Amino acid sequence: MPAPELNTYLRKVLHNLPADWLNLTTHRLNIYDESQAKTEFTAAFEAHFAANSVDRVALTNLPTAYDYIRLGHPLSCVLEWALAKRFSLPATHVISFSSRTMPLLAILRQNALDGRATRIVNGAALPNQFSAEVVREVYGYSFELVAASELAASTEFAGTTVLYRSDTEEAATEIPAWVDYLVQSYGDSGSILYIGPDHGANISNIQHVRRRETIAMTPANCLRELEKMVGLPVVEPVAQLNLEANRRAVRADIAAVTGTKTQPIVGSSGLSVQYAIMMGLVDDAAARYPGKPIRFVVPPNCYGGTNDQARRVAACLENVTIVDLPVDGDNDMVNSTERALEQLAAEDAVPYIIAEIPTNPRVEVPDLAALKWVLSTKRQTAKGTDAIPPVFILDQTFCPNVHFLGPDDTLSTVPAVAYASGSKFPSGGRCTAGYCVGNALAEPLMTKIERHLLLCDNEATAGQYAVLAEQFPSMLERIEAAYRNTRAFVDFIGRVLPEAKINFVSPELAERGFTPSVFSLDLPTKGATPAEREAHKRALNHRLIKMMITELPEESKYCVSYGQLKGCYWTIPATSTQGTTKEADKDYIARVSLSPDLDLARHQEVFQDFVDSI
C-alpha cells in the first residue's frame, strides 16, 4: 500500500483520537467477543479506512479490541494494523510488546514445547537485559546466537530463524525470505514482532505469552510510535524526563504503605511481577536446592491469570509441578496449606505457595494466627531430615493496605513476598503497573526476582511510574472511601434481599484493616432440580448486570475492574477473571466492585427495582 495514503488517514485518526483509547485500562465486556479479540476491532477499523471515515464518535463505538489493556487495546491494534500494511502481512501476524525481550522468549517457549531448534540472528546487539546463559539454564530454552555479519553464504537452517533488529538499526520494511520471525526493537517503547506468513499456527500461543507474562506496548508509547510513523512532531514525554524522580517516589510510597524495608520491585503489570517472582524462585531453588523437585501450590479457583501462568511455567520445566490449594467455600486455607506442606515435606520438595488474601471471588480471610503457625512449623522428610521451609507468595490486590510482612506480622516467620496489581488501587485504574515487596527473610529472593523482571524487560514504563507517583499518595484514602460505599451497598442488599448470599468481610475483619471494596453475590434461585436452579441463578446474574449497566450507563459497567477512581463494576468470575480455571472450580456468581466516587443512592434504587422484578 502506498505510504502517503496510509499516513494521511492515520494523521486524521490521531487528530480525532477518542480519549478512552489513551486512558482506559479496562474496556466494555458488553461489546466484547473474546473469540474475536483484536480481529473484530481490526476488521471494523479497516472498513472505516476503506470509507475514509475518521468520525470520533464512530471510532469510539468500534468493537472492544481486548477487555483489558494488558492484553492489547485500540492503539496497539492500530499500530499493528498499520505496520502489517507496510509489510503486506495480515494484521494478526504483527504483535506489539512493551518488552524488548519477551518476543524472543515467546518464540523460544513455543519451540521448546514443539522440540524445534531456534537460531537468533542479530545485526547490532541483543538487548542488554537478555542473558543467554540465564535463559538457557533457568528457562530451559536452547538456541543458537549468530551475528548477522557472521552468517555464511547459505542462510539455510534446520529450525526456526529469528532476526532481531535493534533500535539503532534502520527499521526493516520486509521479512527476508530466510527469516521466520522478525523482532524490531523500538527502544523504550518496546518492540514489534512480525510473524512470517508460514507461521500463522503459532500466533495464538505467542499472543498468550503477551497475555500472561508481559503486556502490549502501552497506549502512550503506541501513540508516540504512530506519530513518528506518519511524520508528526514528537516531543519527549515529561514522564521520560522525570523517570528517576518518579521511580524513587513510587518506591518510597510502596515501602511506606506496606511497612517493608526491602526495595520494592515495580513491573509493567501484576502478572509481569508474578512471572518474575516465579522464575526468580525457580532460579533460587536451582542454586540452593539442586536436583530437588519444585512445587507451586496454587488455589484452583484463584484469578485465572495466576492459575494459568503457574501452569504455563510448570509446562516448560520438568522439575516444576502445580499442587492445588483449595481455599474457598467448604475449604479452609489453613488446613489446605498444612496438608500440602506435609505432603511436600515427605517428598523433600521445594514448596512455594501462591494465595490471595482476601480470596477471590469469595472475599474470605483465613485465621491468620493459625496460618502463621502452619507456615512456620518445622517438618521432616520421609528420610527424617529437615524439610525445606516454604516461601509464601501473597497476592494482596484486594487489600494492599494491610501489613503482612513486618517483624510481628503474619508472614514474618517464613520468607514471604507480596504483590499487587497496579491497575487496581495503586493507579486508580489508570495504568497496569504492579509491584512486589518482601519481608526481611526474603531479601535474597528479591534480588533474584528483580533479575528476572529485568531480563524479561518487564519493569514499569516511564509513563506508568508517572501515574503511580501521582496516584499512590491518595491510595489509602481511596481504599477507605470505597470500602464505606461497599459496606453501605452490602448492608442495603442484605435488607432488601435477605435470601441472597453475600460474600464480604465482616465488620470485625474491617476493624483489623481488611477493607476491600469488592463483594460477590449468590442470588436466590428456584427450580425442581440442581441444574434448573443453577440455570435460573445464572440467568438472574445476567439480568441484574444488564439492568444496572442499562439504567446507569455512566457509572455502572460490565467490566473486569477494581479500585477505579469512579463508578461501579460488575462481572461474573466464571466468564471473566476465572477464564482458564477448570470448569468445576468456576464461580457463576456476580462480583461487584465499587469506587470511592459513585451515586450510591441511585445504585440502590436500581437494585431495588431488580428485587421488585423477581
Side-chain angles (χ1 to χ4, degrees):
M1 170 176 294
E5 179 185 346
L6 179 64
N7 289 352
T8 298
Y9 181 73
L10 289 174
R11 287 192 196 99
K12 294 176 183 177
V13 169
L14 297 181
H15 180 74
N16 290 330
L17 192 71
D20 284 353
W21 286 18
L22 195 59
N23 299 320
L24 278 188
T25 55
T26 53
H27 295 271
R28 295 172 294 172
L29 291 177
N30 56 310
I31 58 169
Y32 177 58
D33 180 355
E34 187 173 10
S35 67
Q36 298 296 312
K38 179 180 178 179
T39 57
E40 188 177 22
F41 173 90
T42 304
F45 186 79
E46 177 83 42
H48 278 276
F49 172 67
N52 196 28
S53 169
V54 291
D55 179 73
R56 182 172 293 157
V57 174
L59 292 173
T60 301
N61 291 330
L62 286 173
T64 296
Y66 293 90
D67 61 321
Y68 189 36
I69 199 173
R70 187 189 76 241
L71 320 182
H73 47 84
L75 279 170
S76 70
C77 291
V78 171
L79 176 62
E80 292 159 2
W81 172 86
L83 291 170
K85 290 286 186 189
R86 293 191 168 187
F87 274 71
S88 299
L89 287 170
T92 53
H93 284 242
V94 183
I95 305 174
S96 69
F97 289 79
S98 184
S99 163
R100 287 161 286 191
T101 60
M102 285 307 297
L104 296 175
L105 293 175
I107 296 165
L108 289 169
R109 181 184 194 276
Q110 185 62 40
N111 283 356
L113 293 174
D114 292 342
R116 189 180 299 114
T118 309
R119 174 178 63 172
I120 299 174
V121 179
N122 55 294
L126 289 174
N128 293 332
Q129 300 91 331
F130 188 85
S131 168
E133 179 184 5
V134 174
V135 172
R136 289 186 177 112
E137 292 183 358
V138 180
Y139 294 73
Y141 301 151
S142 60
F143 53 94
E144 296 179 22
L145 283 178
V146 182
S149 60
E150 296 174 3
L151 275 182
S154 171
T155 53
E156 292 182 5
F157 177 69
T160 296
T161 296
V162 184
L163 177 61
Y164 191 96
R165 297 182 67 87
S166 76
D167 50 286
T168 61
E169 300 175 87
E170 184 178 350
T173 56
E174 63 179 3
I175 302 177
W178 52 275
V179 170
D180 300 293
Y181 298 92
L182 170 67
V183 180
Q184 175 70 60
S185 172
Y186 280 79
D188 294 330
S189 292
S191 62
I192 300 289
L193 171 62
Y194 299 92
I195 300 171
D198 298 331
H199 297 278
N202 295 327
I203 290 172
S204 62
N205 291 332
I206 290 172
Q207 279 276 15
H208 208 67
V209 170
R210 188 175 83 169
R211 178 186 183 93
R212 290 298 186 225
E213 283 88 47
T214 185
I215 66 170
M217 189 181 292
T218 65
N221 286 336
C222 285
L223 177 60
R224 179 169 63 168
E225 296 308 325
L226 281 165
E227 289 171 339
K228 289 179 184 177
M229 181 188 301
V230 301
L232 291 174
V234 179
V235 179
E236 185 71 11
V238 174
Q240 196 69 43
L241 299 175
N242 294 339
L243 174 58
E244 285 306 317
N246 288 333
R247 185 185 276 129
R248 287 193 299 271
V250 169
R251 286 174 173 171
D253 287 337
I254 293 171
V257 165
T258 59
T260 53
K261 302 296 184 183
T262 57
Q263 179 170 284
I265 294 168
V266 186
S268 58
S269 73
L271 279 181
S272 296
V273 171
Q274 182 186 281
Y275 190 54
I277 292 170
M278 294 191 72
M279 298 313 300
L281 294 181
V282 168
D283 191 353
D284 185 72
R288 295 174 61 194
Y289 311 111
K292 302 283 187 183
I294 299 170
R295 304 288 183 259
F296 281 96
V297 186
V298 184
N301 71 327
C302 69
Y303 168 61
T306 296
N307 210 316
D308 188 35
Q309 187 188 95
R311 284 164 169 75
R312 287 167 57 77
V313 169
C316 294
L317 298 168
E318 290 185 5
N319 65 328
V320 177
T321 305
I322 303 302
V323 175
D324 284 347
L325 180 74
V327 298
D328 265 332
D330 296 332
N331 300 294
D332 176 77
M333 184 184 293
V334 174
N335 292 335
S336 295
T337 300
E338 184 169 26
R339 285 195 298 270
L341 290 178
E342 290 291 338
Q343 171 194 331
L344 299 186
E347 297 174 7
D348 195 16
V350 184
Y352 296 135
I353 302 169
I354 302 176
E356 298 165 299
I357 301 178
T359 60
N360 177 20
R362 298 285 174 173
V363 202
E364 296 176 350
V365 176
D367 181 331
L368 296 181
L371 180 63
K372 182 174 184 175
W373 182 85
V374 165
L375 292 173
S376 56
T377 296
K378 294 183 178 180
R379 295 176 172 82
Q380 300 290 303
T381 68
K383 295 181 178 180
T385 58
D386 288 343
I388 299 168
V391 174
F392 198 84
I393 307 153
L394 171 64
D395 179 350
Q396 63 172 117
T397 296
F398 276 0
C399 287
N401 56 316
V402 178
H403 286 193
F404 280 96
L405 303 181
D408 300 314
D409 294 329
T410 302
L411 300 179
S412 62
T413 52
V414 294
V417 297
Y419 68 104
S421 169
S423 65
K424 311 305 188 290
F425 269 116
S427 79
R430 289 184 50 201
C431 77
T432 62
Y435 64 85
C436 168
V437 293
N439 66 6
L441 295 174
E443 191 164 1
L445 299 177
M446 292 294 285
T447 301
K448 290 287 181 69
I449 293 168
E450 184 176 36
R451 177 190 199 184
H452 288 271
L453 185 81
L454 297 179
L455 184 149
C456 294
D457 197 24
N458 274 339
E459 186 181 7
T461 68
Q464 290 178 325
Y465 270 117
V467 171
L468 291 181
E470 179 185 344
Q471 294 298 318
F472 224 107
S474 66
M475 186 176 80
L476 296 181
E477 295 174 11
R478 286 184 278 115
I479 288 173
E480 182 180 353
Y483 168 76
R484 288 198 302 267
N485 282 337
T486 310
R487 173 60 68 188
F489 199 23
V490 164
D491 290 347
F492 173 80
I493 294 172
R495 292 193 300 272
V496 302
L497 193 61
E499 314 94 277
K501 180 184 178 183
I502 304 173
N503 298 281
F504 192 50
V505 294
S506 66
E508 292 74 21
L509 279 171
E511 285 292 322
R512 293 166 55 191
F514 289 96
T515 54
S517 55
V518 63
F519 67 94
S520 61
L521 185 63
D522 257 328
L523 293 169
T525 188
K526 58 186 178 182
T529 66
E532 288 181 4
R533 289 191 291 273
E534 181 66 20
H536 182 72
K537 183 185 75 170
R538 293 187 189 186
L540 277 184
N541 286 337
H542 287 288
R543 182 173 165 185
L544 169 61
I545 293 174
K546 183 177 180 180
M547 196 166 180
M548 298 302 296
I549 66 176
T550 301
E551 294 295 321
L552 297 163
E554 297 304 315
E555 288 213 344
S556 252
K557 292 181 172 59
Y558 185 27
C559 211
V560 181
S561 193
Y562 179 66
Q564 298 271 2
L565 299 177
K566 185 177 177 62
C568 182
Y569 301 86
W570 303 74
T571 190
I572 298 170
T575 60
S576 56
T577 58
Q578 291 181 328
T580 58
T581 302
K582 289 179 291 186
E583 184 62 29
D585 294 318
K586 289 185 177 182
D587 292 282
Y588 285 91
I589 55 180
R591 197 191 84 172
V592 192
S593 57
L594 284 77
S595 73
D597 180 11
L598 81 163
D599 187 341
L600 180 61
R602 184 73 182 111
H603 280 78
Q604 291 173 338
E605 287 176 14
V606 176
F607 191 89
Q608 181 67 66
D609 291 342
F610 167 76
V611 173
D612 294 341
S613 73
I614 62 173

